[in-house]
Amino acid sequence: MPISYHSSSKTFHLYNSHISYIMMVLPNGHLGHLYFGKALHDRESFEHLLELRNRSMAVCTFEGDLSFSLEHLLQEYPCFGSGDMREPAFDISMDNGSHISDFRYASHIIKEGKPPLPDLPHTFVDHDHQAYTLEITLKDTIMHTTMILSYTLFEQLPIITRHVCFKHEGNSPITLHKAMSLNLDLPDSHYELVELTGAWARERHVKVRPLEHGITAFGSKRGHSSSNFNPFMMLKRPHTTEISGEAIGISFVYSGNFLAQVEVDTYDVSRISIGIHPQNFSWTLEKNDSFTTPEAILAYSDQGLNHLSQQFHTLFLNHLSPKKWRNRPAPILVNNWEGTYFDFNEERIIDMAKTAKSLGIELFVLDDGWFGHRDDDTTSLGDWYPYLKKLPHGLKSLACKIKALGLDFGLWIEPEMISKDSDLYRRHPEMMLHTPQRHDSHGRNQYILDFSNPLVVDTIYHMLENTFKDVPIDYIKWDMNRSMSEVYSTALPAHQQGQVMHRYILGVYHLYERLIQRFPHILFESCSSGGARFDPGMFYYAPQAWTSDDTDAIERLKIQYGTSFAYPIRFMGSHVSASPNHQLHRFTPLKTRGDVAYFGTFGYELDVNQLSDEEKTIVIQQIEWMKEHRSLIQYGTFYRLSSPFEQDTCAWMVVSKDQNDAIVGYYRPLNKINSAYTRLPLLGLDPDKLYGINQTYHYGDELMHYGLITSDESSGLCEHEDPSYDYYSKIYVLKAKSLI
Ligand code: GLA
């Protein structure tokens, strides 16, 4: 059992061949943290790691003892107000107004496997022996409340998942004001924080900042995880690179408001936490009520950031996203949004689908504008039945015609939204999330349904079920296009208004569950104005997400590169769009647009009937190429090679598990004159294998240590099949010699 409890020292040790995580019951009964990092030998006691030291002016727990102070100890799940002056992991008030608590160790259970989290997305195992779970029960006997800290260690991965459950047994209610999913106290602060920040159309740019005394924090109070900050962070040592050094990764399996923060106290101890954002959150527990936090993920690497990212990729592909789609490459699709926007009818769609089929495309996705009377973004959200002016024979007829061409059929929906100009609003204005007597702010001319109310979720479910039940739908793009404002549910009493934002997300998850159960064959892609809900919560239901509304190939380099810090290639919706690009108005070669979009789900986001014959020939070749290589790209091991945030080139590669095949994507946005000799050291190859690249052969060691020669034409070293221009890209396919 890779989780041991040493009763003589009251020490817990979770360990596998990669990591150790050590805690102990402190003399006051609370849980103290001792170590997280590279695997250590197990031993009966780690008590010597607990440093008790007299410090002047500290608030101390035991009378006559100046050494035991919560202020100066590493804590597992710290409380408020009993001597620890740092940020608490939770905050509970009692009926008498007190926020003081005292949760002491009561018992624990160690078991094989990983129990599911009720009503919340979570990682899972296929077989019990893939993971081990420790549940530690702590009790506050004055409050009559139990707290269960759950830890699951994945046997083969340097990963521990965590969540917390509060159960109240007292007669007087208590209120949770803060309940983080994870707290991790580290003994020093020699770290840099890596975060993925951005905005609409420039999501998940990599930002690195050193930790300082005080709090470094980011999060979302928007109701969705957001394009501004992602629920993910890495803490790396200053010298850690992509290929070496220590780093810790933290991710949050949740799609709503979150807070991620690191507090460094003036003794250089770092306290990391992630969980539901406490702003606008409060949850009252009456007798026998319980509250379970969402799941947080903790990962470790001593082999650099690429290795850390790969651990998340493996976890997410094998233990988070729906099993049904595991190892199934994404279908190559065309989406009509940038091709037509709202301006389409059945005839135009069928014409596009015919051409799409002739190019080799597999799935046709009809985007926004097919329902209600939607000709622009001001109307019809909530009216999920076909717009007969555009689709006079209905949705089923269109879908059947597309299926008859040999294509799968996909559809866009935005089920959480309502337009004031909609039948739904006219019938049920109360279903809109709004604060009585207050002004309603809009976003993109639309308003939000009160998904915290199960009746609203049920209404939308039945409307969608009714529309979909006879239509052969293979794919759904589920969008969510605005941040929340004036959040209040008229269905809940005053003292439950702090629950609305969390209940909303639970409503979203519930609708996903119901639709997946009712239509198990449908592949879901999540979307939120592009990538504003690109989080593990969504990937539990939808194995792919629209990465960004920005389809410009050069901008996408940064977006996809940053996204890869946490998420696998298979999750990233990436399409070739028209040139000039609709967001940047930039002209880029069709080849480059394809070379970037290959590293994702791949598809087209344009009117295929506007392509010239020459472009169609290229598109046919791109699709053939992607069909041949997509399994490797989407399920191989992904390495970042050259950062567009730090260099004037970008490069990445994927390697097959057996190291026989690899594909490198190399991108040089701006042309250079009389430039230097450049080489691109590859990663992850077998040093002893001879790899063929365009008729030349190189050992893996040469490719990794000397590198691929990427100097431009003027150096005379590079075999050139493409002219040298701005927005240049090149794909290298490597095959081990015995296979050629
Ligand atoms: C959002 C999505 C786009 C498209 C539009 C339709 O912006 O990100 O891909 O579906 O909505 O309105």
Side-chain angles (χ1 to χ4, degrees):
M1 199 66 102
I3 299 180
S4 53
Y5 175 65
H6 301 294
S7 51
S8 62
S9 58
K10 294 190 180 160
T11 310
F12 296 94
H13 186 190
L14 295 81
Y15 60 101
N16 58 20
S17 55
H18 310 288
I19 54 168
S20 277
Y21 190 102
I22 306 172
M23 307 170 258
M24 73 174 283
V25 179
L26 297 173
N28 67 342
H30 293 195
L31 208 55
H33 180 81
L34 296 182
Y35 176 78
F36 173 57
K38 202 169 165 62
L40 304 181
H41 284 100
D42 191 30
R43 53 188 292 180
E44 189 59 32
S45 171
F46 287 97
E47 239 172 322
H48 52 282
L49 300 182
L50 183 72
E51 284 184 81
L52 297 177
R53 215 197 295 178
N54 287 8
R55 287 197 195 265
S56 304
M57 304 310 297
V59 172
C60 298
T61 303
F62 303 112
E63 218 165 306
D65 175 356
L66 293 178
S67 67
F68 189 88
S69 166
L70 294 182
E71 187 177 352
H72 295 294
L73 289 172
L74 305 187
Q75 317 264 345
E76 198 49 39
Y77 197 69
C79 64
F80 167 78
S82 298
D84 190 337
M85 305 299 168
R86 297 163 290 184
E87 288 285 303
F90 66 100
D91 179 6
I92 305 178
S93 67
M94 290 171 60
D95 222 17
N96 66 2
S98 161
H99 287 248
I100 302 305
S101 65
D102 187 11
F103 283 91
R104 300 184 185 196
Y105 170 79
S107 61
H108 71 269
I109 305 173
I110 298 171
K111 51 189 170 198
E112 260 198 331
K114 183 175 192 299
L117 266 76
D119 306 324
L120 282 163
H122 53 268
T123 55
F124 53 82
V125 289
D126 296 338
H127 309 287
D128 275 354
H129 62 263
Q130 290 179 328
Y132 295 84
T133 297
L134 165 66
E135 289 172 358
I136 304 177
T137 299
L138 301 123
K139 280 186 192 290
D140 183 320
T141 51
I142 306 289
M143 202 183 266
H144 301 291
T145 306
T146 298
M147 173 200 279
I148 301 168
L149 304 181
S150 292
Y151 301 80
T152 296
L153 172 70
F154 281 79
E155 169 98 270
Q156 302 290 336
L157 293 168
I159 288 180
I160 289 172
T161 60
R162 293 175 53 176
H163 68 273
V164 182
C165 178
F166 296 88
K167 289 184 177 165
H168 184 56
E169 287 123 31
N171 290 324
S172 318
I174 58 163
T175 300
L176 272 172
H177 303 276
K178 179 179 184 182
M180 302 307 273
S181 295
L182 169 150
N183 181 90
L184 178 67
D185 284 1
L186 297 171
D188 72 82
S189 65
H190 302 302
Y191 291 100
E192 290 173 343
L193 175 70
V194 182
E195 56 186 318
L196 305 176
T197 77
W200 173 80
R202 55 176 171 82
E203 294 88 345
R204 290 172 299 286
H205 282 209
V206 180
K207 289 272 185 286
V208 182
R209 46 179 165 153
L211 297 183
E212 303 285 357
H213 286 173
I215 292 176
T216 307
F218 61 91
S220 168
K221 299 190 280 294
R222 297 166 174 270
H224 52 152
S225 49
S226 90
S227 47
N228 308 71
F229 297 98
N230 197 263
F232 176 81
M233 61 174 143
M234 285 179 175
L235 286 162
K236 70 177 207 52
R237 297 294 188 186
H239 60 266
T240 296
T241 67
E242 284 283 14
I243 54 169
S244 69
E246 210 184 23
I248 289 169
I250 288 167
S251 166
F252 190 36
V253 189
Y254 193 60
S255 312
N257 289 353
F258 74 94
L259 173 65
Q261 75 176 29
V262 186
E263 177 179 17
V264 178
D265 71 13
T266 48
Y267 302 92
D268 291 331
V269 172
S270 304
R271 170 165 290 176
I272 304 162
S273 61
I274 200 161
I276 293 178
H277 204 299
Q279 174 75 45
N280 216 2
F281 169 84
S282 69
W283 205 283
T284 297
L285 299 180
E286 308 281 348
K287 189 174 176 140
N288 297 326
D289 282 351
S290 64
F291 180 83
T292 303
T293 70
E295 180 168 295
I297 300 166
L298 178 62
Y300 172 82
S301 165
D302 62 345
Q303 297 160 55
L305 303 186
N306 261 320
H307 184 256
L308 187 56
S309 297
Q310 288 159 7
Q311 308 314 306
F312 280 103
H313 299 174
T314 304
L315 181 83
F316 290 161
L317 287 172
N318 297 333
H319 302 286
L320 177 74
S321 79
K323 233 171 157 177
K324 179 177 168 64
W325 303 102
R326 191 184 297 169
N327 294 323
R328 280 171 68 172
I332 296 172
L333 64 80
V334 63
N335 177 304
N336 72 309
W337 178 241
E338 287 194 19
T340 68
Y341 295 103
F342 293 104
D343 182 19
F344 62 83
N345 55 26
E346 181 180 305
E347 203 185 331
R348 186 166 178 200
I349 293 298
I350 298 287
D351 275 354
M352 286 170 79
K354 281 183 185 154
T355 308
K357 177 67 191 170
S358 72
L359 300 173
I361 285 168
E362 297 164 322
L363 164 67
F364 188 94
V365 180
L366 179 59
D367 210 277
D368 194 355
W370 61 268
F371 51 91
H373 60 284
R374 186 138 159 121
D375 286 314
D376 56 38
D377 64 15
T378 60
T379 80
S380 304
L381 293 165
D383 297 347
W384 301 108
Y385 31 82
Y387 186 9
L388 294 177
K389 188 180 102 186
K390 291 184 188 176
L391 308 178
H393 308 104
L395 198 57
K396 182 176 177 186
S397 157
L398 175 74
C400 289
K401 285 175 191 154
I402 288 178
K403 296 284 283 185
L405 293 172
L407 287 165
D408 282 345
F409 177 67
L411 199 63
W412 179 96
I413 54 171
E414 200 181 354
E416 299 153 66
M417 296 294 149
I418 185 163
S419 305
K420 285 201 173 169
D421 180 0
S422 68
D423 294 343
L424 183 66
Y425 185 77
R426 283 182 280 273
R427 276 201 314 271
H428 292 292
E430 79 288 354
M431 286 194 174
M432 188 177 107
L433 211 52
H434 69 287
T435 305
Q437 299 169 325
R438 298 290 176 196
H439 172 76
D440 308 320
S441 305
H442 73 94
R444 206 197 184 203
N445 302 305
Q446 65 195 47
Y447 301 85
I448 306 182
L449 283 168
D450 180 4
F451 263 43
S452 74
N453 179 357
L455 278 177
V456 174
V457 177
D458 201 51
T459 305
I460 297 300
Y461 169 77
H462 286 296
M463 204 187 310
L464 292 173
E465 203 258 351
N466 197 39
T467 300
F468 294 170
K469 66 177 189 280
D470 300 321
V471 182
I473 296 177
D474 301 289
Y475 159 109
I476 293 279
K477 176 178 171 189
W478 177 325
D479 211 339
M480 192 283 189
N481 275 318
R482 62 161 291 193
S483 301
M484 296 186 189
S485 58
E486 291 90 27
V487 174
Y488 187 97
S489 171
T490 49
L492 288 172
H495 75 279
Q496 284 187 293
Q497 292 303 321
Q499 304 183 355
V500 176
M501 293 188 111
H502 181 57
R503 283 189 187 276
Y504 176 96
I505 287 296
L506 295 180
V508 171
Y509 294 150
H510 183 64
L511 184 60
Y512 257 116
E513 285 286 356
R514 282 183 83 178
L515 288 172
I516 288 170
Q517 253 176 41
R518 173 68 180 81
F519 303 104
H521 61 281
I522 291 182
L523 166 66
F524 283 88
E525 171 156 347
S526 83
C527 177
S528 181
S529 311
R533 217 160 53 179
F534 205 101
D535 59 63
M538 284 290 118
F539 291 119
Y540 180 73
Y541 305 97
Q544 54 195 65
W546 188 220
T547 313
S548 174
D549 273 347
D550 190 344
T551 56
D552 174 76
I554 302 308
E555 288 294 303
R556 273 297 186 116
L557 292 175
K558 285 187 174 158
I559 296 169
Q560 292 173 206
Y561 190 93
T563 302
S564 80
F565 272 67
Y567 306 102
I569 293 293
R570 172 65 183 84
F571 288 1
M572 296 184 211
S574 55
H575 302 165
V576 172
S577 62
S579 183
N581 173 268
H582 290 193
Q583 296 81 39
L584 268 288
H585 311 289
R586 181 185 274 147
F587 290 86
T588 51
L590 183 50
K591 171 175 168 24
T592 303
R593 282 175 273 151
D595 289 353
V596 176
Y598 288 149
F599 288 84
T601 57
F602 197 71
Y604 292 81
E605 180 98 10
L606 42 70
D607 182 352
V608 281
N609 285 327
Q610 304 289 318
L611 294 169
S612 67
D613 287 345
E614 194 190 332
E615 286 172 323
K616 281 184 183 153
T617 308
I618 297 174
V619 167
I620 288 170
Q621 287 163 0
Q622 287 178 331
I623 292 171
E624 271 171 16
W625 188 91
M626 188 58 181
K627 284 180 180 167
E628 188 184 338
H629 297 290
R630 62 181 156 180
S631 286
L632 170 58
I633 292 180
Q634 293 170 2
Y635 292 101
T637 307
F638 181 80
Y639 292 87
R640 291 177 296 272
L641 301 176
S642 168
S643 168
F645 298 101
E646 291 164 11
Q647 276 133 15
D648 48 16
T649 57
C650 172
W652 48 49
M653 71 185 288
V654 287
V655 183
S656 65
K657 302 284 178 230
D658 61 9
Q659 294 171 301
N660 281 330
D661 295 277
I663 296 176
V664 179
Y666 171 76
Y667 312 90
R668 192 209 51 206
L670 290 181
N671 201 359
K672 291 182 200 157
I673 187 79
N674 198 14
S675 58
Y677 299 104
T678 57
R679 295 173 281 141
L680 180 67
L682 304 187
L683 292 170
L685 300 175
D686 182 335
D688 301 325
K689 284 185 179 156
L690 199 53
Y691 292 92
I693 313 171
N694 302 331
Q695 271 78 57
T696 63
Y697 295 95
H698 312 266
Y699 277 106
D701 56 5
E702 179 192 318
L703 293 169
M704 292 193 289
H705 305 306
Y706 185 84
L708 268 181
I709 294 172
T710 51
S711 315
D712 74 10
E713 230 157 25
S714 60
S715 73
L717 288 174
C718 186
E719 87 295 350
H720 249 277
E721 63 212 18
D722 308 300
S724 180
Y725 39 45
D726 286 348
Y727 315 131
Y728 169 84
S729 69
K730 184 158 178 158
I731 298 291
Y732 300 84
V733 178
L734 284 68
K735 228 175 205 334
K737 187 152 193 217
S738 59
L739 302 170
I740 298 170

